[in-house]
Amino acid sequence: MAYYTIDKRAKADGTVRYRCSVSIKKDGKRVYNESKTFTKQAHAKTWGSKRVIELEQSGIPNTNDLNKITVGDLLKRYVLDMLLDCDIAEIPLTDLSTSHVIEHCRQRNGAGAGPSTVNHDVSYLSSVLASAKPVYGIDYTTNPATDARPLLLQMGLIGKSKRRSRRPVSNELDRLLAGIEARSDHIAAKIPFVDILNFSILSCMRVGEVCKIRWEDVDEK
């Protein structure tokens, strides 16, 4: 049985998008899902109704047909929901170019995302494009995200995170500890975050270094 649902989502710049998800259930389990984002709810409803009828008539489509795959389809397989809300997700996979990647980074930057955050977008997109053929069997071997990286660095749209210029003050540490303690009280909590944080502060060691310490490394003298 095919059906559709519509989710209203607000983007970082304040604009509202409507994501219509069309699914097929068989024996109580979802066996197929696709989605598309629209600027108007009416358009989302129209598309959803149309796709439900098409799926009822034609059945589950071949999801590896390159000519019918958008970048968003591939991102959904890679479970990158945050990129699915961006305009780049609506571009057909065969049409994707470096200019699309650059424009995506410009939009993200304009919405307030810093070079480091945008750099994550490019890395995720590059990874999912690289996985198309070897992981999913889709005949797609180009990677505009990787190709665009040198120019994006030159343009300052992506980059490394800024070096910390100060240490946290007392009240900031108190708030951080309070949050970690609340998390540690959860029934499923197993990692001693409070101990790790306190030891890191006292020893000036990185979290990764603290977590690598073994009992034989401890000098009790």
Side-chain angles (χ1 to χ4, degrees), residues 2 20 26 92 117 148 175 199 209:
C20 181
K26 186 176 182 181
T117 301
R175 288 160 53 198
F199 188 84
E209 295 172 331

Side-chain angles (χ1 to χ4, degrees), residues 54-100:
E54 292 173 347
L55 290 172
E56 290 285 2
Q57 293 175 344
S58 305
I60 299 176
N62 177 10
T63 57
N64 285 345
D65 186 346
L66 178 61
N67 293 321
K68 296 181 180 179
I69 295 174
T70 65
V71 176
D73 294 330
L74 200 57
L75 289 172
K76 277 181 282 189
R77 298 190 185 191
Y78 208 72
V79 200
L80 295 177
D81 288 341
M82 67 175 180
L83 280 174
L84 284 172
D85 284 333
C86 299
D87 293 339
I88 196 171
E90 303 299 326
I91 299 171
L93 190 56
T94 51
D95 294 342
L96 184 65
S97 66
T98 55
S99 62
H100 291 125

Side-chain angles (χ1 to χ4, degrees), residues 63-160:
T63 57
N64 285 345
D65 186 346
L66 178 61
N67 293 321
K68 296 181 180 179
I69 295 174
T70 65
V71 176
D73 294 330
L74 200 57
L75 289 172
K76 277 181 282 189
R77 298 190 185 191
Y78 208 72
V79 200
L80 295 177
D81 288 341
M82 67 175 180
L83 280 174
L84 284 172
D85 284 333
C86 299
D87 293 339
I88 196 171
E90 303 299 326
I91 299 171
L93 190 56
T94 51
D95 294 342
L96 184 65
S97 66
T98 55
S99 62
H100 291 125
V101 178
I102 293 172
E103 180 59 26
H104 166 77
C105 294
R106 282 175 172 160
Q107 290 178 357
R108 292 279 281 136
N109 184 263
S116 177
T117 301
V118 179
N119 188 38
H120 288 309
D121 280 17
V122 177
S123 295
Y124 295 146
L125 183 58
S126 177
S127 295
V128 73
L129 293 175
S131 72
K133 187 175 180 65
V135 178
Y136 302 116
I138 299 171
D139 191 17
Y140 183 82
T141 56
T142 58
N143 199 323
T146 298
D147 296 340
R149 182 172 287 278
L151 185 56
L152 291 170
L153 285 167
Q154 182 180 336
M155 297 171 69
L157 292 173
I158 62 173
K160 296 181 179 180

Side-chain angles (χ1 to χ4, degrees), residues 151-171:
L151 185 56
L152 291 170
L153 285 167
Q154 182 180 336
M155 297 171 69
L157 292 173
I158 62 173
K160 296 181 179 180
S161 58
K162 293 182 179 179
R163 189 179 183 87
R164 300 294 186 266
S165 59
R166 66 177 181 84
R167 295 178 181 274
V169 295
S170 179
N171 68 320

Side-chain angles (χ1 to χ4, degrees), residues 173-186 189-202 207 210-211:
L173 286 174
D174 290 341
R175 288 160 53 198
L176 183 59
L177 280 169
I180 293 177
E181 287 173 351
R183 180 173 180 175
S184 298
D185 290 337
H186 192 278
K190 296 181 179 180
I191 301 175
F193 290 110
V194 174
D195 294 336
I196 292 174
L197 176 60
N198 286 329
F199 188 84
S200 297
I201 294 172
L202 293 173
V207 172
V210 173
C211 293

